[in-house]
Amino acid sequence: MLDPDLASVLLAFALAGALAVPRLRKALRRGERFCESCGRRILLGERTCDCDS
């Protein structure tokens, strides 16, 4: 049997984690990088364009 106090703490952490997920997505979007030459997005550190710079 799970202690009610422990259950309430675990539930609070789970709800806080669920609320934090959209914020993480927004933070990742703000951290996007773009190619200086053509302006295309750089995904996972790799260019999606054929620029040499």
Side-chain angles (χ1 to χ4, degrees):
M1 190 75 184
L2 188 60
D3 183 37
D5 292 333
L6 178 61
S8 65
V9 170
L10 291 175
L11 181 63
F13 278 119
L15 289 175
L19 290 174
V21 170
R23 291 183 189 150
L24 288 175
R25 279 191 220 136
K26 286 182 184 177
L28 287 175
R29 241 183 283 143
R30 274 183 266 147
E32 286 180 348
R33 295 180 9 193
F34 297 92
C35 177
E36 295 174 3
S37 300
C38 66
R40 292 186 81 180
R41 190 179 310 168
I42 297 176
L43 295 174
L44 301 174
E46 302 220 5
R47 295 181 189 274
T48 57
C49 58
D50 293 329
C51 296
D52 293 329
S53 58

